[in-house]
Amino acid sequence: QVQLVESGGGLVQTGGSLRLSCAKSGSIFSINTMGWYRQAPGKQREWVARITRTGNTNYADSVKGRFTISRDNAKNTVYLQMNSLKPEDTAVYYCNDLGPPSYWGQGTQVTVSS
């Protein structure tokens, strides 16, 4: 059974940093594209970043230059380094395994105070 477990969320002040982790178990990690999404209160879930199995990355315009996605295939883990955080980054952050089939983690809360 595939599981994605996120960690690393928390409360941080504007301009601060956090690093999210997503550990995958239950299937081969290295072959799939992995991504991060987020959902703010009252808003739809939005894509944040993705990384392919070969390490190619893409970012939403809203986080480009501030966030960095990376992966460690040996540890079955994908990371999201978030710098220069803003209050509008406040959301529940979800890890996604594109698959197919696609899997989601349970989410981790990130709150940026002004």
Side-chain angles (χ1 to χ4, degrees), residues 47-114:
W47 168 71
V48 174
R50 71 170 65 91
I51 184 167
T52 69
R53 63 181 179 87
T54 57
N56 292 322
T57 58
N58 297 96
Y59 299 91
D61 287 344
S62 59
V63 307
K64 202 171 294 183
R66 301 187 297 121
F67 290 11
T68 303
I69 189 172
S70 61
R71 65 190 297 162
D72 185 337
N73 290 339
K75 295 183 177 180
N76 288 356
T77 300
V78 63
Y79 305 96
L80 186 68
Q81 177 67 43
M82 306 185 295
N83 299 328
S84 301
L85 283 162
K86 306 174 181 180
E88 50 264 44
D89 295 318
T90 295
V92 178
Y93 283 71
Y94 296 91
C95 176
N96 171 249
D97 179 341
L98 188 63
S102 180
Y103 295 98
W104 292 89
Q106 82 290 348
T108 185
Q109 176 70 48
V110 171
T111 303
V112 184
S113 64
S114 57

Side-chain angles (χ1 to χ4, degrees), residues 4-9 20-22 36-37 45 91-95 104-110:
L4 300 176
V5 179
E6 300 102 333
S7 61
L20 306 183
S21 300
C22 172
W36 287 95
Y37 288 71
R45 190 173 297 188
V92 178
Y93 283 71
Y94 296 91
C95 176
W104 292 89
Q106 82 290 348
T108 185
Q109 176 70 48
V110 171

Side-chain angles (χ1 to χ4, degrees), residues 1-5 22-27 103-105:
Q1 181 176 353
V2 175
Q3 278 193 315
L4 300 176
V5 179
C22 172
K24 178 180 176 180
S25 62
S27 75
Y103 295 98
W104 292 89

